[in-house]
Amino acid sequence: MLAVGMVAIGYSHMISVEMTGIFIVIYTLLNLKMLYKNGSFKYLIAAGGLSLGLLAQYFLAVGEQMATTTFQVSSQPLAFLSDRTLAFKEVVRNSLTNAVFHANTVNVGITILLGLGLACYLFWRSKNDRDLIAIALGLFIMVTPLMPWQLFDHTIINTIQFPWRFFAIITAIVSYLIAKDDLQLLNNKYYFYAIILMLGVGNVIYATNSIQNQSWRFRTNTQYNQPNPYYIGAGHEYLPAQTDYQKILKHKKQVIQYQPDKVKITNVRHTWGQYQFEFTTLKHQKAVVEVPFIYYKGYVANINHEKRLRPMQMNPQNGLTQITLKGKGKVTVFYQTTRLQKIGYLISVISFGGLMLIIYKEQYRHS
């Protein structure tokens, strides 16, 4: 189940895999002796290996691109973890008031904050789940300057971008502790209705604050149906470092670029994901032709219908794809799955088969 959960998280939000991985490492270190004694450690390793296998088609594809190209997420980070912290008292105050969540109003909400307070009491009263409580409290502190995030600003950990993303794990832990109800509070009708009332009041406060303070976010039906592409998801941090995102927004017409005194381009055709054109270089000299595709490893050119495909290069000035041509012929530019991506896909398929076999054996063993 751990492998299935990690894979589901991975294919929905890759940064969450990194965060969950950090949680699993911390939990494992806190319980290393217990996991080793009861034999669970080997199953944890097996689940981790199976998760990596199932996610291989994603990890290998992303890894290949990151290894061959410098992206803006590394060269021009959207955010540094150290810049996104908030003072401890401010996080507590924002949580108690159920403040509308923004960069300067980071909070877990009053329900989770009170749940953390209850967790502190559980930590003192009971020996159960102390590891989870310690992790939840530690992650809460990690959102504040008490955590030296500046040590990780230029590491892969910075891809998390915002330390408050760990609130998702805190919420899961607190929800588990509340549902487990070691203090038997939910069996007491007064406590039960008090919790329901607190949740209701908290929702009303949050909704009211959202309407009053965020009215500028309202859109008419016409505006909503004609959105700015930026609001759909710019994703410009995953463009090559050389790419000027603002320039791309301003120049939406995709036009092939070349030097007319070196090459003649005719019969240009642009379909989804493909460019096709005929060329003739002048005086038999080499000429560079730039195709308006943002460069990623995998773009290839088929020249004169040859079986051998020529890989495209990146223009180091603007991050677009380009090819050097000589002579006369017809070119088709398109994206082709790389060999490493195919290997990743094969590993994921084999891993999925292994997962199905494990599930079948478990069901057969318990039948």
Side-chain angles (χ1 to χ4, degrees), residues 44-291:
L44 182 63
I45 294 176
L50 185 59
S51 299
L52 290 174
L54 290 165
L55 289 167
Q57 65 172 339
Y58 189 100
F59 281 140
L60 290 181
V62 172
E64 183 179 33
Q65 298 295 340
M66 297 292 287
T68 56
T69 307
T70 300
F71 294 96
Q72 293 180 16
V73 69
S74 300
S75 63
Q76 306 167 39
L78 178 66
F80 283 116
L81 284 163
S82 57
D83 294 334
R84 299 293 176 163
T85 59
L86 207 63
F88 183 83
K89 62 180 182 180
E90 292 185 43
V91 178
V92 173
R93 183 180 66 240
N94 293 336
S95 300
L96 288 174
T97 57
N98 254 18
V100 179
F101 197 103
H102 286 298
N104 59 345
T105 56
V106 167
N107 69 92
V108 291
I110 187 171
T111 305
I112 301 301
L113 183 66
L114 293 178
L116 279 173
L118 188 63
C120 291
Y121 176 70
L122 278 172
F123 189 91
W124 169 75
R125 174 175 171 171
S126 173
K127 292 183 179 181
N128 296 330
D129 301 313
R130 281 186 171 181
D131 47 1
L132 289 177
I133 296 171
I135 292 173
L137 294 174
L139 293 177
F140 186 80
I141 293 173
M142 285 169 63
V143 181
T144 72
L146 295 174
M147 175 69 183
W149 283 118
Q150 61 272 14
L151 299 177
F152 303 92
D153 278 346
H154 297 284
T155 69
I156 192 172
I157 299 297
N158 193 65
T159 54
I160 296 175
Q161 299 176 327
F162 311 104
W164 45 257
R165 279 181 162 153
F166 286 106
F167 283 166
I169 296 177
I170 293 175
T171 301
I173 293 174
V174 172
S175 298
Y176 163 76
L177 294 174
I178 292 174
K180 192 177 180 183
D181 196 23
D182 282 345
L183 298 177
Q184 300 295 312
L185 295 178
L186 297 181
N187 289 335
N188 185 305
K189 65 177 182 180
Y190 298 108
Y191 283 118
F192 178 80
Y193 288 119
I195 291 173
I196 297 299
L197 179 62
M198 181 183 66
L199 288 172
V201 172
N203 287 334
V204 171
I205 292 174
Y206 191 87
T208 302
N209 288 339
S210 296
I211 295 172
Q212 291 178 346
N213 303 328
Q214 305 295 313
S215 58
W216 61 275
R217 292 181 179 270
F218 285 115
R219 295 289 183 272
T220 64
N221 186 62
T222 302
Q223 291 173 322
Y224 183 80
N225 289 325
Q226 296 178 351
N228 184 323
Y230 182 88
Y231 293 110
I232 297 175
H236 50 84
E237 65 255 48
Y238 303 110
L239 297 178
Q242 298 86 347
T243 306
D244 188 337
Y245 177 66
Q246 295 302 322
K247 187 176 181 180
I248 292 176
L249 285 181
K250 292 178 182 177
H251 301 87
K252 298 184 184 299
K253 291 185 178 180
Q254 298 178 327
V255 181
I256 291 178
Q257 299 290 335
Y258 59 93
Q259 294 178 290
D261 59 330
K262 291 186 177 182
V263 63
K264 181 180 179 182
I265 302 294
T266 58
N267 298 327
V268 178
R269 292 184 59 195
H270 178 204
T271 56
W272 179 256
Q274 178 175 292
Y275 259 99
Q276 194 175 79
F277 59 88
E278 296 178 6
F279 71 95
T280 303
T281 57
L282 307 179
K283 300 179 182 179
H284 299 287
Q285 60 184 335
K286 292 183 178 180
V288 177
V289 177
E290 179 185 284
V291 179

